[in-house]
Amino acid sequence: MALETMTATHQLKTAVTSIAFAGRSLFFSSLSALPMDSTNVSGLNSYADLLMISLSNALLGMDANDPPKTLATMQLLGSLFSNMSTVDDNINEGSLIPSLRFSEWLDEFFCRLFSLLQHLEPSSVLNEGVSSPSSSGTFLVEDGPYYFCMLEILLGRLSDSLYKQALKKISKFVTTNILPGAIAEVGLLCCACVHSNPQEAVLQLIKPMLESVISSLKATPTTGFGCSANSNASSSKKEKATISPALETAIGYQLKVLSVAISYAGPALLHYREQFKEVIFSAFDSTSWKINGAGDHVLRSLLGSLVHYYPIDQYKCVMHHPFSASLENWIDTKDFSIDKPVIGPKWHVPVEDEIRFANELLKLHFESALDDLLTICQSKIHSDPGDEKDHLKVTLLRVDSSLQGVLSCLPDFSPSSENGMVKEPSFSPFLIAGATGSRVGSSELRQKAANVIHETCKYLLKEKSDDSILLLLLIRVIDTLGNYGSSEYEEWSNHRQAWKLESTAIIEPPINFIVSSHSEGKRRPRWALIDKAYMHNTWRSSQSSFHLSRMSGNMFPSDQVTLLMDDLLCLSLHGYETVRRLAAKSILKMMKRWPSTISKCVLTLAEKFRNPSLPENVVLGSCAVLSSQTVLKRLTTDRKALSSFLLGILYSSHNESQKAQKAITELFVKYNIHFAGLSRSIFGGPSQADGTDFAGLVAEIGSMSFETSNLHWRYNLMANRVLLLLAMASRNDPNVPAKVLSQIAGHFLKNLKSQLPQSRLLAISALNTLLKESPHKISAENRVHGQGSLQADPKSSLEEALSSIFQEEGFFSDTLNSLSHVHIITDMDTGSSRGHYGSSSLQSFADKSITRFYFDFSASWPRTPSWISLFGSDTFYSNFARIFKRLIQECGMPVLLALKNALEEFVDAKERSKQCVAAEAFAGVLHSDVLGVSEAWDSWMMVQLQNIIHAPSVESIPEWAASIRYAATGKGKSGTRAPLLRHKVIDCLMKPLPQIVATSVVAKRYTFLSAILIEVSPVGMPESEILVHYNLLDELLSNMSHSSAQVREAIGVALSVLCSNLRLCASFGNDHSNESGASNADITPARSWDRYLVKRASELVTKIQNVSASEALEIPKEKLSENGMSSDHSKDDIKWMETLFHFIISSLKSGRSSVLLDVLVELLYPVISLQETSNKDLSNLAKAAFELLKWRVTREPHLRKAVSIILSLANDPNWRTRSATLTFLRSFMYRHDFILSNMDKQHIWLAVEKLLIDSQLEVREHAAAVLAGLMKGGDKDLVEDFRRRAYEQAAALIKKRKHRSTVSALPVASVHGSILALAACVLSIPYDMPSWLPEHVTLLARFVSEPSPLKSTVTKAIAEFRRTHADTWNVHKDSFTEEQLEVLADTSSSSSYFA
């Protein structure tokens, strides 16, 4: 039906594909007694009629201008014919589609198919030369396998009479049309014919094509290159004859179609062996390179058809379904039983004549071509370079096509062993049983080819190095010779993806209730399983001898493979990029099969990097080979190759080419990405023969990584990066001397004050990785017994090397100064730059490929993510703080003493960047927990923290807040163990400030307290911390009306942290402070803070609303004072409420709202009530809290309270509050629809309905919009009841129109409410057309003559209805009567200006 109507393209494709997927079910349904649903499919009496219509209408889907529809049609036809056992015109009782004449359908099908092929256009222009594929590049071949699969199934299922009818039409079409734009499509059509019935098709199709090609080739000029090398050597002096373009195109088309058509012909071709030999010889002998390439396709296809194994009669039906002989029985591979008869597929196994013919072709075009190549390379038989080039091209093409035809049927090289060649030359070892076809030729023939190709490569690189076509042909020959089985693997890989595409529509599920036929697994057609078995055999043949070297350490590649790899290595460094790329791809496949050859390649290529006069192409080619995962994986186990690789890269800075430098950089970055450690064999054992051991490699690379070396900064960075990778891989290995790691750690410690920003950042990553021992850290057990119970003289293996460095004069001062340069503070910074180290703005795009690559080797901090705008934008880097902490834990108090003066200097600095690095260092010191840090706190660190709090600067507050938070971060796996100095830091922050102090200092103190209390774990909170919480809470509640907005925000944030901590602590049963603190000062508001906040907020809402109303009426301030409410008190109330809103916003953003939900629900009233006030700041905060609250899911027991508050707000005297309540209800109902009780839903619906007749117009319209949304997904019973009542009320109003006095007596709000209710019903169904909608729309349209604003409501609703139903109006208008359509038409016509 979709193909008959004007359906959108994307919908049509879906409709056709859905029938393809349901094809099996439709056939089963046609066999069963299932009734048809006449309301959905009109005019059909059975599923067989539906199948007949699907097949008939499918012919309409073949359209060259609509690829998706055409491919979907091919998939549909393939799916339907896969179910039918035989396609025949004989009508019997078991016929699936008795009313369809397949002979007529077949004629129409081929007419439309031929028309489609004639109008196809290639999607891309074909490349000249032999490298161009035989595919014409149209969507039928490129976009999916459905075309060829459908043809194979259809032609395989045809009866003999219908097959002959089809073959006759196809033969006539092929012989009378030349379609260069549809080569592959016509070829696959012929191939499907031949595969179905080779004997008949070869006679009707192949023979006429052979005769036509032979007659055409006889009229073309020849070169003499199709036979021996000396036959026409003297013809170089003659002028080369040309062939007309039209004839060249026609011959090329016929040859390529012929090559595709004979793919599965097999022994049927033996009767025409002489004709094939003549065609191939003439094609190679032609002066046209296009015809030469077409002859290449014929030769390789002919050889494959003769010697390969492939299924025959694959698409014939041999298993009929027990319910109907006309239906094929699909197969379940899991339901296998020995008792059941197994009908296996028939395979093409070459007979003796086929093998003899294949060997004859190899002798003519492989051995002869090899002799020709050797003659051309060893003796100059051509005086004209052009003739020599053409002869070489044709000869290499003959060799390539022969190898591509036989593939792995030509035996592989015999592998060698440590003692020489394998003893038995006829021995063909394999690990996986599998073969592409029968064996032709011999291993000696492949060896001869390898030797000849090696000589040819040397000659071409010397004489024809600028001819890319010859070199590409040469690489293809080397690839096929050396990579045994790779072509089969590529065929399997490509076909595997195609099989996945075509298999989705041909699966019968295990459970089948239509005909009560169940199975163990999914059923598939027999042809699909045969296809899968064929591809599995192809994969097995590709893997038969691939893993020999891995299974036996005595297996090595033969000498011929080594020669070919040397040739490919030279070609991979060629000046042409296309040559390099193809050679690199081929050599990587060889190295993957023979891993022992990788080391030699790495040594050869890496050594070239050190050459100062190295050409650019050599660098590019070397990097392309070395960057493969095959090579990089080998480097982890080979010390010599690793050393050569790393030193080669680091010594390549002399190259001046930008392309070469970029390639080296990308190679290094890729090595970093894929670095996964090193094998232990690299660290252990004696030095290699060249004198390089691991320690020597580290020393050499370390000497290159200092700034004093003459290396470019990028290579200096690479050397440092290599040091870090080597240290990571070797730090836990016992064979690596401790001195090596000490040298590396000391080197990176010095690099902290490097002048190169990138080196500093890398040193940070390295030190965070290397400093792990922490012998001076006080453990949890030692803390219980006291600090003096540490082991005597704890010492780290790195301490001695590090101590001599950081005790140098001014080391930490220089280090902090260098690290401060990393903190780039700009006015444009609006978000945290944590993790990027501010370095991106200083670098060019080219440098980012290295500098962006830094690992964070530890868990991210903070463990609990900060919510938005808690402390502002900070540039606090936890990695920097972690360095100072671990350095102190590694070396003890000497680090703290050396750091003290520099830290005091930077704490007092005015620059924010220095403040940042001071905050990081101070955080690391406070969090170190080493022996002696408590004494240092008492002597100087507490004073420094007090100075930081009292400092007037505000720019660095975010960094210091992050520093305090880092210092208080819990330790241990769960982060619940308090650091040693946390309580002392809290006591320091809890000390009251002086009486006269800047508001920024007050806000800073509250911010610091919030930061430290975030990290306090409520689980197991001690009584001292609980008392601190209550003391601070009392202070915050008394300062909620603070005059500074900055302080109020800080108080709101601190309140959310405090209250959530107390709630969580109480939930774990740890809040015992009520007993312990009962005798302390009166802190009653803090003890009952939740009730206090709710009660106080409720009291202030009315006062603030009265103030706003008075200001709107411009009542003098004197009268306000007389009434007992001064302006000062009202301002304090507004400030208090702003602080409360900050508390709500912070609680919701922080994720702590789950424990404060009861309070937040109670505070719905002030949030919704204060959306619009005279104080804009207060209203903005209320709106921000409103946006967060309306999406918060509230569960019982708080949900019922929330509903009652919302219902009370819906009756608020302020219309703006009622409108805001409606806005809140939209989101609230969406989030709670499935958890609200029916009673609550009814109450909410009634409240919204009541607002339809509100006195305020804006509220009425808003209520209608909310109701329309509720009806889209609301309770079905409530929706139907409301829709019925709305229609009845509107209909009653229409009846009263005749009595004008009665209508006019009704209030406008009441009439408007009825119209709005009806409009809500109409707008709740924007795209569909249920049965009730036409009456509602028509009734609504009858109110168009009412006065404004009623008329405006009607016209807007009708216009919106027309807009949303415009796309499907042609279908939906049938639901209306003529009278209803006239009423709707009246609403769209406007009165004329001239009336």
Side-chain angles (χ1 to χ4, degrees):
M1 187 179 295
L3 289 168
E4 290 179 333
T5 58
M6 296 184 65
T7 308
T9 302
H10 64 284
Q11 295 173 338
L12 190 146
K13 176 181 179 294
T14 304
V16 176
T17 306
S18 63
I19 299 296
F21 277 79
R24 189 73 172 170
S25 301
L26 292 175
F27 277 105
F28 280 134
S29 301
S30 65
L31 296 175
S32 65
L34 291 178
M36 286 287 289
D37 187 357
S38 59
T39 59
N40 293 332
V41 187
S42 59
L44 297 182
N45 298 321
S46 67
Y47 289 97
D49 294 338
L50 180 60
L51 291 170
M52 180 192 69
I53 292 175
S54 299
L55 279 175
S56 300
N57 289 350
L59 300 177
L60 304 174
M62 289 188 284
D63 185 358
N65 297 319
D66 194 346
K69 178 178 67 175
T70 304
L71 291 174
T73 302
M74 301 294 178
Q75 186 181 15
L76 171 62
L77 293 175
S79 173
L80 295 181
F81 284 115
S82 291
N83 290 276
M84 303 170 66
S85 60
T86 306
V87 178
D88 198 352
D89 268 345
N90 294 329
I91 300 177
N92 51 52
E93 294 181 359
S95 179
L96 295 172
I97 313 177
S99 56
L100 185 65
R101 297 284 300 177
F102 278 106
S103 58
E104 298 175 2
W105 183 91
L106 201 63
D107 287 340
E108 182 65 21
F109 168 77
F110 280 115
C111 286
R112 290 187 174 272
L113 179 63
F114 296 157
S115 176
L116 171 67
L117 296 177
Q118 288 172 338
H119 292 88
L120 284 178
E121 293 182 1
S123 57
S124 60
V125 180
L126 292 178
N127 298 320
E128 294 293 329
V130 71
S131 59
S132 64
S134 61
S135 169
S136 56
T138 69
F139 68 89
L140 285 180
V141 174
E142 288 189 346
D143 296 348
Y146 304 120
Y147 168 73
F148 182 55
C149 181
M150 180 272 298
L151 291 175
E152 290 267 37
I153 297 169
L154 173 60
L155 293 170
R157 300 295 166 92
L158 292 178
S159 63
D160 292 340
S161 60
L162 290 183
Y163 176 79
K164 291 178 181 179
Q165 174 186 336
L167 184 59
K168 184 177 179 181
K169 295 183 72 70
I170 294 171
S171 177
K172 181 179 178 181
F173 172 75
V174 172
T175 54
T176 57
N177 288 275
I178 301 294
L179 302 176
I183 295 174
E185 288 74 10
V186 177
L188 291 174
L189 176 61
C190 298
C191 179
C193 285
V194 173
H195 198 188
S196 179
N197 191 339
Q199 299 295 335
E200 191 72 27
V202 167
L203 183 63
Q204 297 290 334
L205 276 176
I206 306 302
K207 182 181 178 182
M209 293 171 66
L210 282 172
E211 293 172 352
S212 176
V213 171
I214 291 173
S215 63
S216 299
L217 285 172
K218 285 181 179 179
T220 60
T222 60
T223 60
F225 300 154
C227 49
S228 62
N230 298 317
S231 62
N232 201 14
S234 61
S235 64
S236 60
K237 297 180 181 180
K238 301 178 182 179
E239 185 178 353
K240 185 176 180 180
T242 58
I243 184 174
S244 68
L247 183 58
E248 181 185 49
T249 302
I251 295 175
Y253 165 79
Q254 291 175 330
L255 286 173
K256 288 186 177 180
V257 169
L258 180 65
S259 68
V260 181
I262 63 175
S263 300
Y264 302 110
L269 301 177
L270 293 175
H271 300 292
Y272 307 98
R273 67 176 71 192
E274 296 301 326
Q275 289 91 327
F276 273 108
K277 286 166 34 177
E278 183 178 356
V279 166
I280 295 171
F281 170 78
S282 301
F284 284 130
D285 207 28
S286 175
T287 57
S288 168
W289 177 236
K290 288 184 178 180
I291 296 178
N292 298 151
D296 155 70
H297 291 297
V298 175
L299 177 56
R300 69 172 67 179
S301 182
L302 178 59
L303 285 170
S305 179
L306 291 172
V307 301
H308 289 176
Y309 301 140
Y310 48 84
I312 56 178
D313 292 339
Q314 177 181 354
Y315 297 90
K316 300 287 185 184
C317 176
V318 296
M319 300 175 65
H320 299 278
H321 201 278
F323 288 94
S324 174
S326 300
L327 191 68
E328 185 187 29
N329 192 22
W330 288 4
I331 301 173
D332 169 24
T333 55
K334 292 184 178 180
D335 189 18
F336 178 78
S337 176
I338 301 178
D339 301 333
K340 297 181 181 179
V342 179
I343 304 177
K346 296 180 180 179
W347 294 90
H348 168 255
V349 179
V351 297
E352 187 177 350
D353 287 344
E354 291 179 278
I355 297 175
R356 188 182 299 112
F357 185 27
N359 282 318
E360 185 179 352
L361 289 173
L362 285 180
K363 187 173 183 181
L364 286 173
H365 297 285
F366 186 58
E367 294 187 58
S368 173
L370 291 175
D371 296 337
D372 291 352
L373 277 178
L374 200 57
T375 304
I376 296 171
C377 296
Q378 291 181 349
S379 57
K380 299 282 288 185
I381 62 172
H382 293 283
S383 58
D384 185 6
D387 288 344
E388 184 182 40
K389 173 183 175 180
D390 291 340
H391 199 173
L392 284 170
K393 282 167 55 178
V394 173
T395 310
L396 285 172
L397 188 60
R398 292 164 61 199
V399 174
D400 178 55
S401 58
S402 301
L403 290 172
Q404 291 289 342
V406 296
L407 296 179
S408 58
C409 295
L410 182 65
D412 192 15
F413 301 111
S414 298
S416 63
S417 62
E418 293 180 346
N419 300 323
M421 299 295 293
V422 176
K423 294 181 180 179
E424 300 179 11
S426 61
F427 173 67
S428 179
F430 66 87
L431 297 173
I432 299 175
T436 303
S438 297
R439 176 171 172 171
V440 292
S442 61
S443 178
E444 289 77 12
L445 185 58
R446 189 180 284 264
Q447 293 175 13
K448 174 186 175 182
N451 293 325
V452 172
I453 293 300
H454 175 64
E455 295 296 327
T456 306
C457 181
K458 290 195 296 183
Y459 177 76
L460 291 181
L461 288 175
K462 181 180 179 182
E463 303 291 339
K464 305 283 185 181
S465 61
D466 58 342
D467 196 317
S468 61
I469 294 180
L470 286 175
L471 294 177
L472 292 175
L473 275 171
L474 179 69
I475 294 172
R476 287 176 54 184
V477 172
I478 295 176
D479 182 44
T480 312
L481 274 175
N483 290 311
Y484 183 81
S486 66
S487 298
E488 285 90 337
Y489 184 82
E490 291 177 4
E491 181 185 357
W492 167 80
S493 180
N494 295 331
H495 194 87
R496 180 180 58 169
Q497 303 301 325
W499 194 87
K500 286 181 180 179
L501 287 175
E502 67 190 16
S503 65
T504 51
I506 49 172
I507 291 178
E508 178 186 334
I511 306 301
N512 185 346
F513 291 107
I514 300 177
V515 293
S516 299
S517 174
H518 308 309
S519 61
E520 294 292 331
K522 297 176 182 178
R523 291 189 177 102
R524 291 182 175 86
R526 180 173 176 271
W527 68 262
L529 296 178
I530 293 175
D531 191 56
K532 197 172 184 180
Y534 177 40
M535 282 300 103
H536 184 65
N537 179 69
T538 304
W539 175 81
R540 294 179 72 93
S541 64
S542 69
Q543 303 294 304
S544 59
S545 59
F546 185 81
H547 302 283
L548 285 177
S549 62
R550 291 172 172 80
M551 301 303 295
S552 173
N554 197 33
M555 287 285 188
F556 296 94
S558 65
D559 296 339
Q560 286 76 21
V561 173
T562 306
L563 290 176
L564 295 178
M565 289 193 71
D566 292 340
D567 294 338
L568 285 175
L569 201 60
C570 295
L571 290 167
S572 66
L573 308 178
H574 196 269
Y576 292 158
E577 183 181 1
T578 53
V579 175
R580 291 199 305 269
R581 189 186 302 118
L582 191 61
K585 182 180 178 182
S586 181
I587 196 174
L588 287 174
K589 287 191 286 186
M590 285 191 182
M591 288 193 293
K592 196 170 184 179
R593 186 184 179 193
W594 303 103
S596 59
T597 61
I598 298 177
S599 299
K600 178 183 176 182
C601 292
V602 172
L603 294 175
T604 304
L605 297 177
E607 190 65 30
K608 294 181 180 296
F609 283 146
R610 304 193 183 200
N611 186 357
S613 58
L614 195 67
E616 179 185 278
N617 58 280
V618 177
V619 177
L620 297 178
S622 301
C623 290
V625 175
L626 293 174
S627 62
S628 66
Q629 292 191 41
T630 304
V631 175
L632 297 180
K633 191 180 294 185
R634 181 70 178 183
L635 294 178
T636 61
T637 59
D638 192 318
R639 182 193 306 171
K640 188 174 181 180
L642 175 67
S643 175
S644 177
F645 173 80
L646 294 176
L647 295 177
I649 290 178
L650 297 179
Y651 281 117
S652 63
S653 61
H654 49 73
N655 204 299
E656 298 180 357
S657 167
Q658 290 186 355
K659 281 188 177 181
Q661 290 292 338
K662 182 181 178 182
I664 294 171
T665 300
E666 291 175 351
L667 170 62
F668 182 77
V669 170
K670 191 167 184 180
Y671 174 71
N672 278 265
I673 292 174
H674 292 281
F675 183 81
L678 299 173
S679 172
R680 289 192 174 184
S681 60
I682 291 183
F683 309 126
S687 300
Q688 298 282 320
D690 58 353
T692 61
D693 58 1
F694 184 74
L697 177 63
V698 171
E700 185 172 0
I701 295 176
S703 65
M704 301 169 63
S705 58
F706 285 106
E707 296 178 25
T708 54
S709 62
N710 295 324
L711 285 179
H712 186 273
W713 71 265
R714 189 178 290 116
Y715 286 85
N716 181 282
L717 179 63
M718 288 182 182
N720 281 289
R721 182 66 191 167
V722 170
L723 274 183
L724 173 57
L725 294 179
L726 295 179
M728 286 172 53
S730 62
R731 61 185 176 181
N732 296 323
D733 193 277
N735 296 320
V736 178
K739 183 180 178 182
V740 173
L741 293 179
S742 300
Q743 291 175 350
I744 296 176
H747 168 79
F748 282 118
L749 185 61
K750 291 179 182 177
N751 272 2
L752 284 179
K753 57 178 183 177
S754 169
Q755 297 301 315
L756 299 175
Q758 295 80 12
S759 295
R760 293 195 296 268
L761 300 181
L762 192 58
I764 292 165
S765 293
L767 290 174
N768 276 321
T769 304
L770 296 174
L771 302 179
K772 293 288 187 182
E773 296 183 24
S774 307
H776 293 271
K777 179 181 177 182
I778 302 176
S779 64
E781 295 79 6
N782 290 331
R783 193 183 303 180
V784 175
H785 301 292
Q787 298 178 6
S789 61
L790 281 172
Q791 295 179 358
D793 193 22
K795 193 148 186 173
S796 165
S797 59
L798 308 177
E799 184 174 343
E800 183 177 353
L802 298 178
S803 298
S804 60
I805 297 172
F806 67 73
Q807 288 180 353
E808 295 176 1
E809 184 68 26
F811 172 80
F812 276 117
S813 180
D814 295 340
T815 298
L816 293 178
N817 189 51
S818 298
L819 293 178
S820 68
H821 297 156
V822 179
H823 297 76
I824 300 175
I825 314 298
T826 63
D827 295 334
M828 300 300 293
D829 286 341
T830 57
S832 174
S833 59
R834 183 184 290 113
H836 300 290
Y837 305 113
S839 59
S840 59
S841 59
L842 291 180
Q843 305 170 58
S844 66
F845 180 77
D847 296 337
K848 287 182 181 179
S849 57
I850 293 182
T851 56
R852 69 180 178 182
F853 190 79
Y854 298 106
F855 284 144
D856 284 329
F857 297 104
S858 54
S860 60
W861 182 89
R863 295 186 181 186
T864 304
S866 300
W867 55 95
I868 302 171
S869 302
L870 173 60
F871 308 126
S873 171
D874 69 89
T875 53
F876 178 88
Y877 305 137
S878 59
N879 279 353
F880 289 21
R882 194 179 294 116
I883 288 174
F884 292 102
K885 178 183 76 172
R886 289 182 174 171
L887 190 60
I888 294 172
Q889 292 174 347
E890 199 82 18
C891 301
M893 287 302 293
V895 179
L896 198 56
L897 296 176
L899 180 63
K900 177 183 176 182
N901 294 332
L903 187 58
E904 291 176 345
E905 175 190 349
F906 276 71
V907 166
D908 297 333
K910 295 182 179 180
E911 298 91 341
R912 185 179 176 183
S913 59
K914 292 187 176 182
Q915 289 272 324
C916 292
V917 72
E920 292 153 2
F922 198 50
V925 171
L926 292 175
H927 204 243
S928 60
D929 286 7
V930 297
L931 181 65
V933 72
S934 297
E935 291 78 4
W937 166 265
D938 296 333
S939 63
W940 62 276
M941 283 194 287
M942 182 175 64
V943 178
Q944 284 299 327
L945 182 56
Q946 290 175 344
N947 293 338
I948 293 167
I949 297 172
H950 297 156
S953 63
V954 295
E955 294 84 3
S956 58
I957 289 179
E959 284 75 35
W960 283 110
S963 175
I964 297 297
R965 183 176 181 182
Y966 186 92
T969 299
K971 294 183 177 279
K973 260 187 179 180
S974 304
T976 56
R977 194 174 75 248
L980 194 63
L981 297 181
R982 182 199 281 175
H983 299 297
K984 295 188 177 184
V985 175
I986 292 177
D987 293 340
C988 180
L989 291 174
M990 285 297 293
K991 290 181 180 178
L993 295 173
Q995 292 294 330
I996 302 175
V997 72
T999 56
S1000 61
V1001 176
V1002 179
K1004 183 194 298 186
R1005 174 173 171 265
Y1006 287 142
T1007 301
F1008 288 179
L1009 282 167
S1010 301
I1012 199 169
L1013 293 178
I1014 286 173
E1015 295 298 328
V1016 171
S1017 175
V1019 183
M1021 190 189 298
E1023 293 184 3
S1024 58
E1025 287 188 356
I1026 296 175
L1027 189 59
V1028 167
H1029 277 68
Y1030 279 115
N1031 291 335
L1032 181 58
L1033 184 57
D1034 188 58
E1035 178 184 344
L1036 295 176
L1037 293 176
S1038 62
N1039 288 330
M1040 286 183 67
S1041 298
H1042 198 280
S1043 58
S1044 170
Q1046 182 183 6
V1047 174
R1048 294 197 298 272
E1049 182 178 1
I1051 290 174
V1053 173
L1055 271 176
S1056 69
V1057 177
L1058 280 172
C1059 297
S1060 57
N1061 278 356
L1062 289 173
R1063 279 289 177 87
L1064 283 169
C1065 180
S1067 67
F1068 289 104
N1070 299 324
D1071 191 354
H1072 306 295
S1073 58
N1074 289 331
E1075 296 81 2
S1076 62
S1079 60
N1080 292 335
D1082 185 17
I1083 50 175
T1084 304
R1087 297 292 176 178
S1088 58
W1089 59 269
D1090 46 1
R1091 296 192 297 274
Y1092 169 75
L1093 289 178
V1094 173
K1095 182 180 178 182
R1096 178 72 172 157
S1098 301
E1099 294 173 354
L1100 294 185
V1101 167
T1102 306
K1103 294 183 180 180
I1104 294 173
Q1105 286 180 332
N1106 291 337
V1107 170
S1108 299
S1110 302
E1111 290 180 355
L1113 297 174
E1114 298 183 355
I1115 299 177
K1117 294 183 178 180
E1118 292 79 6
K1119 292 187 178 181
L1120 289 177
S1121 300
E1122 291 174 3
N1123 293 333
M1125 188 171 63
S1126 66
S1127 60
D1128 292 336
H1129 285 297
S1130 64
K1131 289 181 179 178
D1132 289 342
D1133 295 341
I1134 291 173
K1135 292 171 184 175
W1136 193 96
M1137 193 61 72
E1138 286 183 8
T1139 307
L1140 182 69
F1141 287 158
H1142 280 301
F1143 161 74
I1144 296 173
I1145 294 170
S1146 176
S1147 299
L1148 291 167
K1149 285 186 175 181
S1150 64
R1152 294 167 174 255
S1153 59
S1154 57
V1155 294
L1156 303 174
L1157 203 54
D1158 58 332
V1159 181
L1160 296 178
V1161 168
E1162 295 279 0
L1163 295 178
L1164 272 175
Y1165 178 71
V1167 170
I1168 297 178
S1169 299
L1170 299 178
Q1171 292 293 296
E1172 298 291 340
T1173 64
S1174 58
N1175 190 295
K1176 295 301 180 185
D1177 293 335
L1178 179 64
S1179 295
N1180 289 337
L1181 286 173
K1183 290 175 181 177
F1186 180 89
E1187 290 298 319
L1188 293 170
L1189 266 174
K1190 72 179 184 180
W1191 293 110
R1192 183 66 172 87
V1193 176
T1194 307
R1195 299 186 180 275
E1196 292 291 352
H1198 312 301
L1199 181 58
R1200 195 176 298 269
K1201 182 64 176 176
V1203 172
S1204 65
I1205 293 175
I1206 293 171
L1207 292 176
S1208 65
L1209 287 168
N1211 297 317
D1212 195 88
N1214 190 324
W1215 73 267
R1216 298 184 186 277
T1217 302
R1218 298 197 298 275
S1219 180
T1221 305
L1222 286 170
T1223 304
F1224 186 85
L1225 268 175
R1226 272 187 166 177
S1227 305
F1228 181 82
M1229 289 297 291
Y1230 173 76
R1231 298 287 280 173
H1232 299 85
D1233 189 53
F1234 296 102
I1235 58 177
L1236 279 171
S1237 65
N1238 291 333
M1239 186 65 67
D1240 289 338
K1241 290 181 183 179
Q1242 291 178 6
H1243 288 160
I1244 292 174
W1245 271 79
L1246 291 175
V1248 179
E1249 285 184 43
K1250 184 179 178 181
L1251 293 178
L1252 283 174
I1253 56 175
D1254 194 88
S1255 58
Q1256 193 72 24
L1257 174 63
E1258 290 86 347
V1259 176
R1260 295 200 299 270
E1261 293 179 343
H1262 198 169
V1266 172
L1267 275 172
L1270 291 179
M1271 293 178 71
K1272 291 178 182 179
D1275 185 84
K1276 183 178 180 181
D1277 296 333
L1278 291 174
V1279 171
E1280 290 181 355
D1281 178 65
F1282 172 76
R1283 188 167 60 237
R1284 177 185 53 79
R1285 288 187 287 109
Y1287 184 82
E1288 291 175 354
Q1289 292 175 8
L1293 284 176
I1294 289 294
K1295 291 180 180 179
K1296 294 178 182 179
R1297 293 180 79 184
K1298 298 179 181 180
H1299 308 286
R1300 289 291 179 180
S1301 59
T1302 306
V1303 177
S1304 60
L1306 293 174
V1308 175
S1310 177
V1311 180
H1312 195 198
S1314 299
I1315 296 175
L1316 284 170
L1318 197 60
C1321 296
V1322 172
L1323 298 180
S1324 66
I1325 308 292
Y1327 301 110
D1328 296 330
M1329 185 64 65
S1331 58
W1332 57 265
L1333 188 55
E1335 294 180 354
H1336 282 62
V1337 177
T1338 307
L1339 183 59
L1340 179 64
R1342 296 184 188 277
F1343 287 96
V1344 74
S1345 59
E1346 296 293 330
S1348 183
L1350 282 64
K1351 179 178 180 179
S1352 175
T1353 299
V1354 174
T1355 54
K1356 287 180 181 178
I1358 296 297
E1360 180 66 13
F1361 169 79
R1362 289 183 180 278
R1363 184 187 69 81
T1364 55
H1365 290 80
D1367 292 341
T1368 54
W1369 183 244
N1370 288 335
V1371 177
H1372 287 163
K1373 71 179 181 180
D1374 295 336
S1375 303
F1376 291 79
T1377 64
E1378 291 295 332
E1379 181 183 356
Q1380 290 172 337
L1381 290 175
E1382 289 178 5
V1383 174
L1384 282 180
D1386 292 341
T1387 60
S1388 61
S1389 61
S1390 57
S1391 58
S1392 174
Y1393 176 80
F1394 300 99

